[in-house]
Amino acid sequence: MENQKKASKSTVVKKLKATALASVYQKQWFFDLKERVIAGEDFAYLNADVPMEILRAMDIPFVVNQWWAAICGAKRMTSKYFGLLKDAGYRDDLCSYCATAFAESLDPDDHRLDAAGNPMGPWGGLPKPSIAITRLTCDCQGKIFELFSRQHGAAFYPMENTVPRKAPLKWYELAADRWEELYDPDRLDCAVEELHELIRFLEIKTGRMFDTNKLIEVMHLINVQEGWYKKTRDLIAESRPVPVTVVDTINAVMQAQWQRGTPWAAEHAQGLYEEIKALADAKTAAVPNEKYRLMWIGRGIWHDFGFYQRFEEKYGAVFMWSMYLAMGADAYIRNHVEEDPIRALAARYIGMEDFLHMPPWNSQWYLQQARQNHIDGVVYMVPENCMQSVEGSYFIKKTLEDAGIPVLLFKADPVDPRKWNAGTMTALVEDFIETRLK
Ligand code: SF4
């Protein structure tokens, strides 16, 4: 109990300027977006795996579902929202990450002010979207977005999802240049058709015209941004001591990743690299008594980010790897975009689910990353109510442990704190460190 109290009281310490800058930027960006919506512009709500580059190129304002769920989680709003889901007759213990915005849409207070004049919804609540787009990557996603669209009176646009018949190993070596080898050709053909359909839909709905040259510009900016993430990931991997922890890199990268394709995001990624490089050059340790390099597999625990720092002082254990920076480094870059930007974009978005959720693609990548980053142990959070994110967790654990890297696997929810017991979870990791790490 004492342990639990102590754990739940701890705060999160972010050290980088780049992290603070990203937080300031995203808030201002969100308020500017709201102004555009109030002025009558179309506003799109997208699931994270939707090719947002098309909307960026068409200058259609959008918010990404998982980013918004993380904001709601960090603002500790989700317990209230999932209670509203239950009151409305839905299950409140499934798909919480993806269903947060739908649950929020049931909140009558979302756009109101409290007695002190403060907004009751996170940053005053999500503005009303006129378009909602998702991909049919799991059985639930389409239904959640359909309900969300109905609630807001938005046009619902689902996109197809395909699965691979072949799974070449080392996707991370093929993705940037050799995507025709990486994917079945008909998967790419299908995605190209889908992108043309999406463009047609958006042109008719918004009255805006798509411009291929603008898409090329967006794709170039993304390559620049992700190139900086690659340099940053490689730098951290080779640095001893570790100059920065996931508390900073997750926040800095996740916020900027959803701004990808803008000059700001590319410059921010460069600033992040330069700041970390200066720390690495000065041999500044993120955790002065560093002893164990830990890898975090899974989504961020948005409602308890201080969790990652609870093992630093006592054990010298530093969470130094997460997929957020590493996916930026390995999964997004697509070179030679001028030749066929639509096909290059297709080659970016159709593989994301495979890279993260399909063994052996995910398990082999985690192993390669664990080796590159000289990882001592892996803490792996499987979202307990997401069928898609079960992702072959058996194979991931086995692949890493067969290679001699200990894995602690537990189930939890990244946005719903109701079942999260900080003391129990902290004790679990402490036991892992004490008994499994050498
Ligand atoms: S199964 Fe997972 S990915 Fe699909 S809607 Fe539910 S939480 Fe989201």
Side-chain angles (χ1 to χ4, degrees), residues 276-383:
I276 296 174
K277 177 85 168 66
L279 291 170
D281 287 348
K283 295 271 176 215
T284 305
V287 175
N289 56 332
E290 177 184 318
K291 192 165 176 206
Y292 302 116
R293 296 160 74 100
L294 298 181
M295 180 176 198
W296 173 259
I297 298 183
R299 298 155 177 183
I301 306 176
W302 305 114
H303 53 78
D304 186 11
F305 231 68
F307 178 74
Y308 298 111
Q309 295 179 320
R310 283 186 200 128
F311 316 97
E312 294 178 353
E313 206 177 306
K314 188 168 169 188
Y315 297 101
V318 49
F319 275 102
M320 52 86 68
W321 188 97
S322 83
M323 66 168 174
Y324 293 92
L325 177 61
M327 279 291 281
D330 286 338
Y332 284 83
I333 296 171
R334 294 293 179 274
N335 297 316
H336 325 298
V337 288
E338 309 77 6
E339 289 165 22
D340 189 345
I342 294 280
R343 199 165 178 88
L345 175 56
R348 174 180 297 140
Y349 84 88
I350 61 171
M352 290 295 176
E353 295 303 325
D354 309 332
F355 303 158
L356 280 175
H357 301 305
M358 176 89 66
W361 284 9
N362 57 5
S363 52
Q364 289 300 325
W365 181 59
Y366 288 135
L367 176 59
Q368 184 265 345
Q369 282 301 286
R371 284 179 170 149
Q372 184 189 354
N373 285 270
H374 313 286
I375 291 295
D376 296 301
V378 175
V379 180
Y380 177 10
M381 182 184 82
V382 180

Side-chain angles (χ1 to χ4, degrees), residues 43-107:
F43 160 51
Y45 194 75
L46 313 181
N47 203 55
D49 50 9
V50 166
M52 58 184 240
E53 289 82 350
I54 297 290
L55 290 97
R56 177 82 68 217
M58 295 176 74
D59 192 27
I60 299 170
F62 62 86
V63 160
V64 172
N65 190 29
Q66 283 69 12
W67 171 78
W68 183 245
I71 297 290
C72 294
K75 301 280 171 207
R76 313 272 163 102
M77 296 300 293
T78 45
S79 297
K80 178 185 185 190
Y81 293 160
F82 297 130
L84 292 169
L85 265 189
K86 197 169 186 180
D87 294 346
Y90 297 102
R91 285 190 59 156
D92 65 337
D93 59 346
L94 286 179
C95 298
S96 47
Y97 204 34
C98 296
T100 299
F102 170 56
E104 178 201 9
S105 73
L106 304 171
D107 183 1

Side-chain angles (χ1 to χ4, degrees), residues 95-98 138 140-141 144 299 385-389:
C95 298
S96 47
Y97 204 34
C98 296
C138 66
C140 324
Q141 198 69 262
I144 292 169
R299 298 155 177 183
N385 58 24
C386 169
M387 285 164 283
Q388 186 162 262
S389 281

